[in-house]
Amino acid sequence: MGAMKAAILFESLTGNTRKAAELIATNLQQEGWGITGVCPVRRPEMAAIQDADIVIIGTWVHGLFVVGQQPWGLGAIGHLPAIKGKLAATYCTFALNPGKTLDRLDATVSYLGANVIGGLALNRAKLRDHTEEFAARLTANIPSAT
Ligand SMILES: Cc1cc2nc3c(=O)[nH]c(=O)nc-3n(C[C@H](O)[C@H](O)[C@H](O)COP(=O)(O)O)c2cc1C
């Protein structure tokens, strides 16, 4: 009952994906959602995941910029605990072209047993706008339980 609660897990090398996680959390809170935790994929907070109605997983695009793009850290993402049966949404940050990164990320998160409702690729130069868009889409598509 009440507001949706989200946990946000990120994989980040130079900080963009972490910053995106924090901006997504702020935007969701402004829309009335609760945040159970914001933490690195490699140091997942069990309680934050367990208490969440939806788990948001973000990473960054690694490749040769126009070919070979992959989500970085799929191995760690594929070992996240307590995701089975959860709603999930994904995002990636990129510089030029995300390629099929989100599809690959979604496949891994689905394999954990989550119900992946979608994702968004966020341009690292437009994190403020793109995280706002992502949060707005999530809250529009998943109304809080009443
Ligand atoms: C080794 C390396 C490879 C990258 N390859 C791509 C790429 O293929 N396509 C792209 O759009 N961005 C690419 N990027 C840019 C990163 O995806 C982008 O800077 C991202 O926001 C980094 O996230 P972070 O700051 O959380 O580590 C690459 C960055 C690095 C360091």
Side-chain angles (χ1 to χ4, degrees), residues 59-72 74 92-105:
T59 188
W60 55 281
V61 175
H62 178 273
L64 301 172
F65 286 88
V66 286
V67 294
Q69 298 97 328
Q70 295 274 353
W72 187 255
L74 269 194
C92 63
T93 69
F94 69 96
L96 282 182
N97 180 343
K100 296 194 189 310
T101 295
L102 272 185
D103 290 345
R104 293 189 171 139
L105 180 56

Side-chain angles (χ1 to χ4, degrees), residues 110-143:
S110 295
Y111 192 72
L112 288 170
N115 175 17
V116 182
I117 56 160
L120 195 63
L122 316 174
N123 188 315
R124 72 179 183 189
K126 299 175 184 163
L127 281 188
R128 211 158 271 280
D129 282 356
H130 288 183
T131 53
E132 201 177 308
E133 173 72 24
F134 184 50
R137 286 196 201 177
L138 284 174
T139 54
N141 286 294
I142 311 168

